[in-house]
Amino acid sequence: MNTLELSGIGGDTICAVSTPQGSGGIAVIRVSGPQALDIVQHRWQGKPLVGMASHTVHLGNLVDTAGGMLDQAVLTVFRAPNSFTGEDVVELACHGSTWIQQQVIQTLIDAGCRHASAGEFTRRAFANGRMDLSQAEAVADVIEAQSRAAHHVAMNQMRGRYSDELNDLREKLLHFTALIELELDFSEEDVTFADRSEVSALATEIHDLISRLAYSYHEGNAIRNGMPVAIVGQTNAGKSTLLNALLGDDRALVSNVHGTTRDTIEDTVVMGGTLFRFIDTAGIRQSGDVVEQMGIARSWRALDKANVVLWVVDVTSADTSMAHDILTHCDGKALIVILNKTDLDDDFAARSELSDILPEGIPVVAISAKRDTDIEALRDLIVKTAALPEADSDTIIVTNARHYQALTHARDAIARAIAGLDSGLSGDLLDQDIRECLHWLGEITGEITTDNILGEIFAHFCIGK
Ligand code: GDP
């Protein structure tokens, strides 16, 4: 268990408003720490808090330092260790005027509380062993989730499914170390592993599990921050009109002047339970204009970063001269070719021209962005093409860049151990790699962290979390 001292947290009692800033129907003020019940008692008119059982709710009055009535409130008691933070916690639900909130906080501070810093409730929960670090980080992700998929992944992580998987890996690594140490213990008697192939199989299994987790970050990042979809094509093909149609909003400037979109425009929308981040790019064409050239360079960069590319072709001009460049940049990405402005030309000369150029299997859809024709079918196709795992699947997906980095290091360490096994490296050298692998997994769960890392993580939380 992580101790309070370890994380630099004192044993004082903290308070903060846990509901969003501003006024609302009700506001919840959280008080946590060894003096929580005593301090609130000083400001509470109602049933005495001393004998209250954990997880009980009571109606009473909150009063200020001078005993003046502040509000009628509902109080919930959670006794240590069965609370969010693992400490005694009192939650006060009062009327949500900003004035009442400020006054209640002020009067609690006067009675001996300290105002909580960002993420301090969750940090205490971590320090008291109520959750590991990956679960604590998931609390922030659950609060910030913008789509069903992001919510599902964060929930899985918060409820400890990811931690369970990491603990399984840890057990396997410890078993591995035990086998190696057995060899070390008997090294003087010239004993080698009972069965080096068994150890090798275990190392490969660990490597594959870590690799799968690390690889899942590509999806995880898209789920959490939005699947990047670049809209590319010649100037005037209708890219901005398409962005607006997909967003159902007049977000991008639409004009028939070539080269209007000189920078990339981004916006997000949830489709099929997944957050998509659409990036409208400057039209790609040969241009002598320096500013436009810079915009075009950005278009290529946006395209390179996207998971899905929508290539918009104007059916009336059917100019496919940039096809080669676009296809080269789309290697390894999901590409959808969109024939736009079908309201002006239903003959689609572009379609046959494209079929000569496009590799097999690339979907081609005909739409009119301006008339909203077949936009819904395009949305469905984008969701299908993005091929994210089902939102209710139980596969563990890594969404956090810090975890991804640690997993990459852990994977490198176990890969070195496998190479060492193959080349008959001695047990003590293998042991170092395994310990390094364990170290990186421990960084994810918070078994091994510095105060700096913890400070960095919790500083991104809001006050009251
Ligand atoms: P971009 O340069 O590729 O972003 O193109 P815009 O979205 O700015 O559109 C260029 C011109 O084509 C504008 O005048 C649009 O109104 C027009 N346009 C876009 N989509 C369609 C469409 O489906 N049908 C018709 N008739 N015009 C369209």
Side-chain angles (χ1 to χ4, degrees):
M1 188 197 281
N2 306 282
T3 63
L4 287 172
E5 289 72 26
L6 188 79
S7 313
I9 295 174
D12 52 359
T13 297
I14 53 172
C15 68
V17 180
S18 284
T19 33
Q21 270 197 343
S23 57
I26 58 164
V28 174
I29 290 159
R30 219 186 223 165
V31 186
S32 177
Q35 305 299 316
L37 279 87
D38 285 348
I39 291 173
V40 176
Q41 182 65 73
H42 285 115
R43 303 290 182 258
W44 183 249
Q45 287 177 346
K47 199 176 157 196
L49 274 72
V50 183
M52 277 179 187
S54 186
H55 295 73
T56 55
V57 182
H58 310 269
L59 183 70
N61 293 331
L62 279 167
V63 293
D64 63 18
T65 316
M69 165 93 166
L70 276 178
D71 195 14
Q72 190 176 47
V74 171
L75 171 154
T76 314
V77 177
F78 303 91
R79 287 191 177 266
N82 299 316
S83 69
F84 177 71
T85 58
E87 304 171 328
D88 278 345
V89 169
V90 177
E91 283 185 5
L92 298 163
C94 55
H95 290 102
S97 90
T98 46
W99 187 83
I100 292 178
Q101 294 177 40
Q102 281 163 5
Q103 293 304 305
V104 174
I105 291 291
Q106 188 57 54
T107 197
L108 290 170
I109 289 173
D110 290 345
C113 273
R114 172 171 65 73
H115 199 277
S117 57
E120 196 168 354
F121 292 102
T122 317
R123 186 167 177 168
R124 286 186 173 207
F126 163 67
N128 288 325
R130 297 291 290 165
M131 54 180 75
D132 72 19
L133 196 54
S134 74
Q135 288 174 289
E137 286 171 301
V139 173
D141 291 347
V142 166
I143 294 169
E144 277 155 28
Q146 293 180 61
S147 67
R148 185 157 52 96
H151 167 81
H152 180 76
V153 173
M155 250 327 173
N156 259 346
Q157 189 175 326
M158 191 178 81
R159 293 168 64 200
R161 292 221 41 249
Y162 178 37
S163 313
D164 291 347
E165 188 134 330
L166 291 172
N167 284 333
D168 281 354
L169 266 171
R170 197 169 167 273
E171 293 293 315
K172 287 190 167 65
L173 280 160
L174 289 174
H175 181 49
F176 192 170
T177 330
L179 287 174
I180 292 172
E181 276 167 9
L182 195 68
E183 185 186 62
L184 286 176
D185 286 347
F186 290 98
S187 57
E188 278 169 19
E189 287 152 51
D190 210 16
V191 175
T192 51
F193 286 122
D195 182 357
R196 270 217 170 199
S197 64
E198 185 201 332
V199 183
S200 192
L202 181 60
T204 308
E205 188 190 341
I206 295 169
H207 179 267
D208 291 352
L209 285 170
I210 297 177
S211 298
R212 196 203 64 71
L213 281 177
Y215 188 74
S216 75
Y217 176 69
H218 299 290
E219 277 168 2
N221 186 37
I223 289 175
R224 187 186 191 203
N225 299 319
M227 168 76 77
V229 183
I231 307 177
V232 300
Q234 301 261 352
T235 53
N236 253 12
K239 297 179 296 299
S240 304
T241 312
L242 176 62
L243 175 71
N244 290 338
L246 286 167
L247 297 174
D249 187 14
D250 280 346
R251 173 73 174 79
L253 181 66
V254 173
S255 142
N256 59 5
V257 179
H258 283 261
T260 320
T261 308
R262 293 187 168 209
D263 204 347
T264 50
I265 296 175
E266 287 193 29
D267 217 332
T268 55
V269 70
V270 175
M271 303 188 322
T274 299
L275 185 71
F276 284 86
R277 190 154 43 83
F278 286 103
I279 307 139
D280 179 19
T281 65
I284 293 171
R285 61 169 182 165
Q286 305 298 349
S287 167
D289 181 319
V290 179
V291 180
E292 195 182 343
Q293 274 176 1
M294 285 163 68
I296 293 170
R298 280 190 191 195
S299 301
W300 289 123
R301 284 204 294 278
L303 195 156
D304 290 339
K305 280 195 219 144
N307 292 27
V308 181
V309 178
L310 307 183
W311 173 19
V312 186
V313 178
D314 178 343
V315 285
T316 60
S317 65
D319 183 349
T320 53
S321 57
M322 304 303 284
H324 177 72
D325 287 344
I326 290 177
L327 287 173
T328 313
H329 279 266
C330 285
D331 198 24
K333 300 176 187 299
L335 170 66
I336 300 175
V337 179
I338 295 166
L339 300 177
N340 188 32
K341 307 196 188 180
T342 53
D343 54 303
L344 297 179
D345 180 359
D346 53 10
D347 192 18
F348 307 165
R351 193 190 281 275
S352 58
E353 205 170 304
L354 275 166
S355 64
D356 296 339
I357 309 169
L358 289 179
E360 214 158 300
I362 294 187
V364 180
V365 282
I367 62 156
S368 166
K370 194 171 178 175
R371 301 266 161 91
D372 252 343
T373 313
D374 289 327
I375 296 297
E376 207 46 55
L378 176 61
R379 282 203 185 98
D380 292 346
L381 183 64
I382 295 170
V383 172
K384 207 171 112 216
T385 308
L388 282 169
E390 283 296 307
D392 52 1
S393 119
D394 274 340
T395 315
I396 300 295
I397 294 172
V398 175
T399 56
N400 183 305
R402 188 183 76 81
H403 300 179
Y404 171 67
Q405 210 175 16
L407 286 165
T408 315
H409 290 306
R411 185 188 55 200
D412 293 348
I414 189 78
R416 279 198 301 278
I418 292 173
L421 273 172
D422 290 347
S423 61
L425 208 66
S426 71
D428 48 352
L429 292 173
L430 291 174
D431 203 39
Q432 279 179 22
D433 289 327
I434 301 306
R435 293 204 175 278
E436 190 179 328
C437 190
L438 276 165
H439 167 94
W440 288 112
L441 297 181
E443 276 221 348
I444 300 176
T445 52
E447 266 163 89
I448 300 156
T449 39
T450 62
D451 260 8
N452 280 351
I453 297 180
L454 292 178
E456 172 70 19
I457 292 169
F458 289 104
H460 289 104
F461 278 62
C462 295
I463 289 173
K465 270 189 209 161

